[in-house]
Structures are given as structure tokens and as C-alpha cells.
Amino acid sequence: MGAAPKKLHVKTWGCQMNVYDSERMAEAMGAEGWVATDRPEDADLILLNTCHIREKASEKMYSELGRLKPLKAANPDLKIGVAGCVAQAEGAEIVARQPAVDLVVGPQTYHRLPALVARAEAGERAIDTEMPDEDKFEHLARARGPAARPTAFLTVQEGCDKFCAFCVVPYTRGAEVSRPTARLLDEARALVDRGVREITLLGQNVNGYHGEGPGGRTWSLADLVGALAEIEGLLRIRYTTSHPNDMTGDLIAAHGACAKLMPYLHLPVQSGSDRILRSMNRRHTAGDYLAVVDRLRAARPDLAFSGDFIVGFPGETAADFEDTLRLVERVGYAQAYAFRYSARPGTPAAEREAVPAALATERLHRLQALLEAQQAEAQRAMVGRETTVLFEKRGRRPGQLVGKSEHLHAVHVDAPDAAIGTVARVRIREAATHSLGGDLL
Ligand code: SAH
Ligand code: SF4
Ligand code: F3S
């Protein structure tokens, strides 16, 4: 018997891409003999995978570092690493100001993590926030054995060239890059072989996907979805996050034509005011957005929409905010997120005069109330309807499973454990705030 394997604890904040990246990092360390642990106090290495999108998200890393300090006092061999978008944006500062941090790794160099950890273990403070040309995914180990869940994320596109005036993503994730289709189809097949039944394609602008396909032809996201749909055993496909300007005709048509493509779409608009949209550098109007929504609904009438909104963007007047409320009423969201504008260092909007905080908060609450009412209505409208559910895991009550409907509602159903990983027809019996209850048909 050799020495006990070293243990890795990963804590993840931010978007689904960070979730995907954390899994890849754990797998890369797994290939080096490390095992994952849920308990930070047992770990030899703690990785914080961070988010920079709003000030609050970013602060979470610093408060977590404070909480971890005693662990480091108890175990001098413990290494702490910071990954993700805060690492990319503030890597050098973190190393300078946070003596507890042993390594910093940006989102584009995760394939170098094992080497960085080795350097940290040798006593060096290692930092890598380069944005190299090589495809990190090509060097990241893939796990074998059965998947923990029947659903999985698959990053197909990363980075953003859109430069919305409020957003750090183009700086933390770099320029838009699409992965080649052959690799994605391989990765998807490997996931399905491991028992995955639903794949969510990820990208900061996932519908801007333009990957190298067979014979050098460029594939669109619709082409990729079409090829994925042919994989036997893959039952459901989703994708997120989309930009209204990249919602091309072939992708809209796919929503009507591809049965495996689920009728739920996260399509952020940020504001309903053309004046604010212009000042956000969104390059579309509220009318452009509504036209895209209408075309999508024409292709797939039961498509459920989700969105993101920013309130209190610099210069937002009461009338601009009313335009946002009007747009929300016109679309009718199944679910949506509203954020108070947070000025981010290095972005153009950070230089502009802020809306008074109290006013922004008041608008946030008004918008959230409207969105919550729409969500409750969308949940209620499901009662009595039939849908299909992909069961993901046991529910809270014995004998109960929880899964997702086609429209991404969480649904609780009495069903045997053997149904986990299968899709069943369910009639919805009742609606709670954030989930539905149903019965097997
Ligand atoms: N690529 C996606 C998601 C970007 S980040 C897109 O283009 O929509 C997720 C959401 O965070 C954004 O849609 C936006 O609503 C919000 N967000 C981004 N920057 C923000 C900021 N500075 N303040 C408040 N919310 C912000
Ligand atoms: Fe940020 Fe805009 Fe790019 Fe989305 S499209 S990631 S909001 S810059
Ligand atoms: Fe946050 Fe980076 Fe995602 S800033 S939202 S973790 S791309």
C-alpha cells in the first residue's frame, strides 16, 4: 500500500461554466492520484473557483479566505488556490495581499493546474493567468466510470467579444473561442456512455458558436444540436446563455424541428429601454428582442423564456425602468433574474454616474415582484398538465424522486430509485413556489 491519496476540496461560485470547470479541475487532479472531499478540514488542497460578475460575488472569495485561515494554522501543509474570474481579474493583487493563497490560476490555464500545484507544494507561490492559444480542454483529463448525475454540462464556446458596458466577462474569460465539433461529439458520446441523458451546452454566448466541423466547414450551434440529437441514449439537449443578436434562423427553426431540444430558453435582455440598451452597448433594441421572442414562439409555441435584467444602470430614469416593466409584461417569463447594477472596475460603465442606491433598490424590488408573480403563474399553469420528467435523484421524502420537466421545473414524484436516469410521463398535481408535484402516468 502506498501513502493515502491527497485530498482536494473545490468550492464553486458563479455561473454553470464555473461548475463545469471545477469538475474538469477535479478530474485533472484525479488523474494525478488526488481524491475529492466535501470537507475542507480534511483537504490538502482547497481550490476556490470564483466569480467576478458583481461586487458581492467577488467579495465572497475574500470572506471565504478569512474563514479558511484557521485551517491553515492547524495544517501548515494545506495549500489554498484561487481559480476563476476573480483570479483572472485580480491575480497579482491576491498574491500580494493574501499570504494564505499559495496559487492563482485563471480560467484559460486549468490544464496547467497539476504543474502549478506541484510548484506550490515545493514552496513557491505559483500564479498563471495567461490566455494561451492552446486548447485547454484538449489537455484536461476526462473522467471514466458512471456519472454521478444523469445531467451534465458541456462547454462548447467560451469568452465574449460583445463588451457590454457593464460586464467583466470579456476581460476575465477572454475572446470568444468555439471548440471543434469532433471533440464535442466525442465528449458528448463519452458522457452518454457514462449514463448521462441530458446535456446542457454552455457558452457565454453559446448561440454565437461557430466551431470547426468536418472538412473544415464551420458549424453553427444549430448544426451541433442536430448532430448531438443523433446520439442514441441522449434524450435531452439544452443550451445557455444566448445573446438575442446571435439567435439565427437555423437555431430558431431547430426549436420547432428537434424533439430533443427542450422548450426552455435563457435569453437575457438586461433592459426594456432602447436608450439604456444603447448606453449598455447591447447593439439591439427592445423591439429587436421582442421580434426574436415572437419568431421563437412561432417555431415552438410552448417555449418558456428566462432572462436577466439589470436595474439602476447609470442614467436609468423612471421612464426607462417603466419600459423594462412593460417588456417583462409583454414577454411573460417562466423565470428570470434581476440584479442591481454593480460598477465593475475596468468596465466603461464604471466611470459613469450611478443611480442613487435607494432608488435602484426600490426598482429592483418592483421588478422582482413582477418576475415572481410571472413565475408563480407559470408554475400554476402546469397543474393538471402532462409533461415528461427526467429523474435526477432522490427527493426529500422516502419513495420520492426529483427531476426536471421539459420546461425546467423541478418536479417531485413518487417513483422507484430505478427510475433515476429515465424519462417518464407525469401529470402535474400541484404547484409550490419553486417546484411542482406530480404523479407517474
Ligand atoms: N453571457 C451572458 C451572461 C453574463 S453574466 C449574457 O450575455 O447574458 C450574467 C448576468 O449577470 C448578465 O446577464 C447580467 O444581467 C448580470 N450582470 C453582468 N454584469 C453585471 C453588473 N456589472 N452588475 C449587475 N449585473 C450584472
Ligand atoms: Fe457580458 Fe454582454 Fe458578453 Fe454577456 S454578451 S458576457 S453580458 S459582455
Ligand atoms: Fe462569474 Fe466568470 Fe461566470 S465572472 S458569471 S464565473 S464567467
Side-chain angles (χ1 to χ4, degrees):
M1 291 282 284
K6 288 192 209 154
K7 290 186 181 152
L8 167 69
H9 175 78
V10 186
K11 179 150 184 167
T12 309
W13 293 275
C15 61
Q16 288 128 325
M17 197 170 286
N18 265 12
V19 175
Y20 178 84
D21 287 345
S22 288
E23 285 168 5
R24 296 292 79 64
M25 286 192 276
E27 288 170 7
M29 296 309 292
E32 306 282 314
W34 289 65
V35 296
T37 174
D38 293 339
R39 294 163 48 89
E41 57 276 23
D42 291 347
D44 302 287
L45 170 65
I46 297 176
L47 272 181
L48 307 180
N49 195 5
T50 59
C51 175
H52 199 55
I53 200 81
R54 287 168 291 274
E55 196 178 352
K56 265 201 191 128
S58 205
E59 280 166 356
K60 286 184 184 154
M61 178 204 76
Y62 291 101
S63 36
E64 185 70 19
L65 280 177
R67 273 194 293 276
L68 293 177
K69 264 194 201 131
L71 292 185
K72 207 143 178 173
N75 172 12
D77 291 334
L78 170 66
K79 301 293 173 204
I80 296 180
V82 178
C85 292
V86 183
Q88 188 63 45
E90 300 175 357
E93 266 175 84
I94 294 169
V95 171
R97 299 218 185 122
Q98 304 287 330
V101 173
D102 302 287
L103 76 99
V104 168
V105 57
Q108 298 313 329
T109 50
Y110 290 154
H111 53 299
R112 300 179 185 164
L113 179 64
L116 285 165
V117 172
R119 279 166 55 192
E121 286 184 314
E124 195 186 327
R125 297 185 76 207
I127 169 163
D128 193 344
T129 51
E130 269 184 56
M131 295 210 173
D133 283 336
E134 76 243 24
D135 178 4
K136 67 176 170 186
F137 296 109
E138 212 179 306
H139 305 279
L140 279 171
R142 270 196 223 120
R144 293 163 206 281
R149 290 269 177 94
T151 60
F153 294 130
L154 175 54
T155 294
V156 303
Q157 177 277 337
E158 190 170 355
C160 183
D161 299 335
K162 295 221 165 19
F163 291 94
C164 299
F166 50 81
C167 184
V168 294
V169 171
Y171 312 99
T172 63
R173 291 278 168 171
E176 259 188 71
V177 176
S178 295
R179 298 177 62 195
T181 58
R183 294 204 194 295
L184 296 172
L185 293 170
D186 280 351
E187 195 169 329
R189 282 189 211 100
L191 287 167
V192 173
D193 287 345
R194 297 176 60 205
V196 167
R197 297 291 168 257
E198 174 181 304
I199 293 180
T200 300
L201 308 176
L202 298 182
Q204 267 89 31
N205 281 296
V206 70
N207 58 339
Y209 176 84
H210 53 281
E212 184 196 321
R217 186 174 75 89
T218 300
W219 278 28
S220 68
L221 189 68
D223 295 328
L224 182 63
V225 166
L228 287 166
E230 282 171 22
I231 299 178
E232 210 181 310
L234 180 62
L235 306 178
R236 293 174 155 195
I237 303 167
R238 304 180 187 274
Y239 62 92
T240 197
T241 293
S242 296
H243 193 286
N245 289 358
D246 292 326
M247 201 39 86
T248 48
D250 59 345
L251 189 56
I252 292 173
H255 278 279
C258 179
K260 291 186 181 180
L261 190 55
M262 290 294 103
Y264 180 97
L265 186 64
H266 185 57
L267 192 63
V269 62
Q270 315 299 351
S271 168
S273 152
D274 287 344
R275 214 175 60 80
I276 293 298
L277 288 168
R278 201 175 319 116
S279 128
M280 286 177 164
N281 193 33
R282 289 287 296 184
R283 299 169 197 267
H284 60 75
T285 62
D288 296 334
Y289 178 82
L290 291 169
V292 169
V293 168
D294 288 345
R295 286 173 65 203
L296 281 157
R297 280 196 167 132
R300 178 82 202 227
D302 69 334
L303 192 64
F305 285 92
S306 131
D308 290 335
F309 295 89
I310 296 178
V311 300
F313 186 76
E316 184 186 75
T317 63
D320 294 319
F321 178 65
E322 294 299 327
D323 286 344
T324 298
L325 296 178
R326 247 194 307 278
L327 179 139
V328 169
E329 263 153 16
R330 164 84 154 69
V331 173
Y333 288 91
Q335 206 191 347
Y337 308 88
F339 307 104
R340 207 177 86 173
Y341 169 71
S342 167
R344 305 307 289 130
T347 60
E351 314 292 317
R352 304 179 197 162
E353 198 183 330
V355 167
L359 191 57
T361 302
E362 186 199 311
R363 288 177 190 166
L364 178 70
H365 291 160
R366 275 182 69 195
L367 177 56
Q368 280 174 335
L370 175 59
L371 292 172
E372 273 161 32
Q374 289 194 342
Q375 180 174 346
E377 179 49 39
Q379 299 259 117
R380 260 198 310 276
M382 288 300 294
V383 176
R385 276 212 234 161
E386 268 181 41
T387 181
T388 67
V389 173
L390 170 58
F391 292 114
E392 294 180 14
K393 56 179 180 183
R394 286 187 182 155
R396 232 172 294 148
R397 280 197 295 106
Q400 189 188 58
L401 299 183
V402 58
K404 294 277 162 57
S405 75
E406 294 155 34
H407 298 93
L408 211 58
H409 305 100
V411 187
H412 292 87
V413 179
D414 284 336
D417 280 359
I420 292 174
T422 68
V423 171
R425 292 208 64 81
V426 166
R427 186 184 308 283
I428 302 303
R429 179 183 5 96
E430 60 188 3
T433 320
H434 296 290
S435 70
L436 302 173
D439 303 300
L440 285 178
L441 283 171

